[in-house]
Amino acid sequence: NLTPQQQQQAVGCINNLRQIVVAKQMWATDKQKPPGTLLTAADLATYLGPNGLPACPAGGVYTLNPVGISPICNIPGHALPK
């Protein structure tokens, strides 16, 4: 079982992943990029606000993945629902 702090970190991480999904969709639409297009954190900076790419509250590392594939965190349990 997760501690309350771990649960809070997982929720924060999943919210970050959702923000990244939206930013990727907006970038792909604006740039007319098809699914499978590779992108970088710099590509998303405009869409994520002044702080840029959010960080996992538990110190996990995000993999953005190509357009059309959800971003992931390397900490188990920090994942968007399928």
Side-chain angles (χ1 to χ4, degrees):
N1 271 352
L2 297 176
T3 68
Q5 182 184 9
Q6 289 170 321
Q7 286 177 327
Q8 196 172 11
Q9 289 173 336
V11 168
C13 179
I14 290 165
N15 286 337
N16 288 346
L17 291 171
R18 287 190 177 112
Q19 286 180 9
I20 295 168
V21 167
V22 171
K24 284 173 61 175
Q25 289 170 338
M26 291 180 357
W27 177 83
T29 300
D30 285 354
K31 305 295 183 189
Q32 301 181 344
K33 299 291 184 181
T37 303
L38 297 175
L39 65 155
T40 67
D43 291 326
L44 299 182
T46 310
Y47 303 95
L48 289 168
N51 297 327
L53 192 68
C56 172
V61 177
Y62 293 143
T63 301
L64 294 176
N65 285 324
V67 173
I69 300 173
S70 292
I72 57 172
C73 179
N74 68 341
I75 295 180
H78 290 204
L80 293 166
K82 298 269 182 213

